[in-house]
Amino acid sequence: MATLLTGIAELTTNADAADPTATIANAALLIEGGRVAWWGPAPDAPDAEDVVDLAGRAVIPGFVDSHTHLVFAGDRADEFEARMTGVPYAAGGIRRTVAATRAATDDELRTRLAALVAELHAQGTTTFEVKTGYDLTTAGEERLARLAAEVTDEVTYLGAHVVPEGAERDAYVDLVCTGMLAATRPHVRWVDVFCERGAFTEAESERILRAGADAGLGVRVHGNQLGEGPGVQLAVRLGAASVDHCTHLTDADIAALAGSTTVATLLPGVEFSTRQPYPDARRLIDAGVTVALASDCNPGSCFTSSMPLMIALAVREMGMTVGEAVWAATAGGARALRRDEVGHLGVGARADLVVLDAPSRRHLAYRPGVPLVNRVYRGGEVLRPR
């Protein structure tokens, strides 16, 4: 059955090649077979068996959150409180979550994972990635990958999160490249590495990423979060789909990104939670770099699943317009996952969309923290009615 959504005060499709951030006023959109079949001015709308009047609400594509760490146990709220009093962020806190996650049962991990997925859906996220990386043993990383694959097709192997406590460094890197990779491979699409001081060196990162690529996985990189470093250049050199964080960039890093297909995925919730400087999105966009926004939802450096908050922070702190931020949180995330059927509402796209309790997408930045999601469609079906 075809469904016509009408009464749309402002429609964002990301489907206008001449102006990807353009909007249409007084619009309608037709869903058929779980796909977008038509969109345009409401007076020109085709007939449909089912007509839904959205009564002056705005519609945007469903958010695509291309960077999350949702499979874990434990709590690190004390670290957040300490950072707010001036204690600097460091990568070592990951090991606390590793200990808690190893001690949790499958059902305990599933319960928390389901709750976080429900949070994502409630806030308009219709496609999301999930990383492993909170067990750091072969059996444990396989378990996390398997559980993540129960809720998303976008699973990333992050055995190279940190070197676990007590492990010999070279031996652990060998394991990440061999037995651990082989165990997780059936459940994952991507390989990632935390290329950062306190985590993995450039040489170690390249070895791990090449091993993953040789196993048929796409490449992703955590890079340039805590300072200038080799992550961006490594990601570009290896043809990574995305390099994530990009907080500290040189002119050479930006030029490399601008001349590549690698997306710069910015994670402003991390800066909010760690008191680090925000990435300069304006500098990246003006240089021609493709930018995505993602939540980096994790228990240590950014425990929020809210893509609307990422948009508000990007507009307030990173020099992005509302249109650019919405594009980065939808189409940008899709590019970071190399997906062409989500992140936009062009004809033929999967009908993933968010209806806002607001007349314009501007309210996502104008009213931060307010629950503006009225309903969410995924594949043409209502995923989360209010």
Side-chain angles (χ1 to χ4, degrees):
M1 181 175 67
T3 297
L4 180 69
L5 304 182
T6 190
I8 302 173
E10 178 188 270
L11 174 64
T12 299
T13 66
N14 297 338
D16 185 341
D19 185 0
T21 66
T23 61
I24 304 167
N26 186 24
L29 182 142
L30 183 68
I31 299 170
E32 193 164 13
R35 300 274 171 172
V36 176
W38 176 93
W39 55 265
D44 300 336
D47 293 332
E49 305 155 74
D50 181 37
V51 178
V52 178
D53 185 355
L54 297 182
R57 294 181 172 90
V59 170
I60 63 174
F63 296 124
V64 180
D65 191 348
S66 61
H67 184 132
T68 80
H69 303 254
L70 301 183
V71 190
F72 66 88
D75 183 272
R76 286 160 61 191
D78 58 330
E79 290 181 26
F80 173 82
E81 185 174 37
R83 287 196 300 272
M84 296 306 103
T85 64
V87 176
Y89 170 74
I94 292 165
R95 294 182 180 92
R96 290 183 63 194
T97 301
V98 168
T101 302
R102 288 176 178 176
T105 67
D106 283 11
D107 284 345
E108 287 169 340
L109 292 175
R110 279 195 184 97
T111 297
R112 171 165 270 183
L113 178 59
L116 290 171
V117 170
E119 282 186 13
L120 292 172
H121 289 164
Q123 295 172 95
T125 297
T126 50
T127 301
F128 57 93
E129 178 259 19
V130 177
K131 302 180 192 298
T132 72
Y134 284 132
D135 190 287
L136 309 182
T137 66
T138 297
E141 287 294 293
E142 187 278 336
R143 176 174 76 138
L144 301 188
R146 174 169 40 83
L147 293 175
E150 293 176 0
V151 299
T152 182
D153 295 332
E154 300 291 348
V155 182
T156 298
Y157 166 52
L158 185 59
H161 207 177
V162 291
V163 177
E165 192 170 358
E168 195 278 320
R169 187 174 195 89
D170 290 342
Y172 185 72
V173 172
D174 287 344
L175 178 64
V176 169
C177 293
T178 55
M180 189 183 290
L181 171 62
T184 56
R185 177 64 186 90
H187 310 295
V188 303
R189 184 178 177 213
W190 304 97
V191 61
D192 198 348
V193 63
F194 194 8
C195 182
E196 193 66 71
R197 66 174 184 262
F200 293 87
T201 67
E202 180 179 9
E204 291 166 342
S205 297
E206 181 163 359
R207 183 182 169 204
I208 291 162
L209 294 172
R210 288 193 182 279
D214 288 346
L217 300 179
V219 172
R220 320 186 72 74
V221 178
H222 283 60
N224 297 64
Q225 176 187 359
L226 303 179
E228 293 178 4
V232 166
Q233 298 289 340
L234 176 62
V236 170
R237 186 164 73 248
L238 297 184
S242 180
V243 55
D244 299 12
H245 287 292
C246 294
T247 309
H248 301 275
L249 300 178
T250 65
D251 289 344
D253 291 333
I254 292 176
L257 286 166
S260 77
T261 59
T262 300
V263 175
T265 298
L266 309 183
L267 311 169
V270 173
E271 282 69 47
F272 178 86
S273 181
T274 62
R275 291 188 181 274
Q276 288 186 275
Y278 286 89
D280 190 346
R282 182 80 270 137
R283 185 179 171 209
L284 286 162
I285 292 168
D286 289 348
V289 177
T290 301
V291 170
L293 291 173
S295 73
D296 195 9
C297 181
N298 76 83
S301 62
C302 183
F303 198 12
T304 177
S305 55
S306 175
M307 290 295 279
L309 175 60
M310 300 308 113
I311 289 170
L313 291 173
V315 172
R316 173 65 179 83
E317 303 288 352
M318 292 159 50
M320 299 179 81
T321 67
V322 173
E324 289 168 343
V326 169
W327 189 95
T330 53
R335 291 198 185 183
L337 294 174
R338 293 192 170 162
R339 298 277 294 269
D340 58 12
E341 85 287 14
V342 297
H344 67 95
L345 297 175
V347 172
R350 196 171 74 190
D352 293 0
L353 56 94
V354 179
V355 179
L356 299 176
D357 268 330
S360 168
R361 67 190 184 190
R362 294 187 188 95
H363 285 237
L364 290 166
Y366 177 48
R367 304 194 70 208
V370 176
L372 294 178
V373 175
N374 175 270
R375 73 194 77 169
V376 179
Y377 288 81
R378 188 177 188 278
E381 299 295 326
V382 176
L383 183 64
R384 188 256 174 189
R386 174 165 290 180

